[in-house]
Amino acid sequence: MTTLNANTYPIEGAHSMKVDELAKLVYVNLQTGLEEISINEKITKYSLNGYAEQKKKSILLISFEQLKSPIILLLLVAAGFSFFFKDWVEGFSIIAVIFITAALSF
């Protein structure tokens, strides 16, 4: 049997421990849960488990971000060369592939 050490996180082998052993290790009462003092100590030590809300992006920004990948930039260069050499069908085909890819990624 391994020695339990409450100061070691993450707890090694927690999935294979008995519930009573694990509850003692993390100072939890199985009937009442955490005590108020224990909760405040854990919040002080580890902070709250929260999610910071992210700023919403505009549709235009999302669309622009789809065009920043190296593959898309390479396709834009290829389309530019196609138009430069007056290969209109290939150029428009490449542009269509870029728009389809951006639409699917969006």
Side-chain angles (χ1 to χ4, degrees):
M1 180 173 211
T2 59
T3 305
L4 300 178
N5 183 358
N7 296 325
T8 305
Y9 288 101
I11 300 168
E12 295 291 327
H15 64 281
S16 62
M17 288 182 179
K18 292 182 180 180
V19 175
D20 295 338
E21 290 177 359
L22 191 57
K24 286 179 188 175
L25 181 63
V26 293
Y27 307 111
V28 173
N29 183 323
L30 292 177
Q31 278 68 40
T32 60
L34 291 171
E35 295 179 13
E36 188 77 28
I37 295 170
S38 177
I39 292 171
N40 292 332
E41 286 175 2
K42 290 181 187 295
I43 288 173
T44 303
K45 187 173 182 179
Y46 301 110
S47 77
L48 290 173
N49 185 12
Y51 175 76
E53 190 170 328
Q54 296 179 353
K55 190 173 81 172
K56 297 197 181 229
K57 295 179 181 178
S58 70
I59 292 174
L60 187 62
L61 181 62
I62 294 171
S63 300
F64 177 72
E65 286 179 349
Q66 302 304 319
L67 302 176
K68 288 191 328 186
S69 79
I71 297 295
I72 298 297
L73 294 175
L74 184 64
L75 285 171
L76 284 170
V77 169
F81 278 118
S82 295
F83 290 132
F84 179 77
F85 292 114
K86 297 183 181 168
D87 192 354
W88 306 111
V89 173
E90 187 173 319
F92 284 119
S93 298
I94 294 171
I95 295 296
V97 167
I98 291 171
F99 280 120
I100 290 169
T101 304
L104 289 175
S105 298
F106 182 77

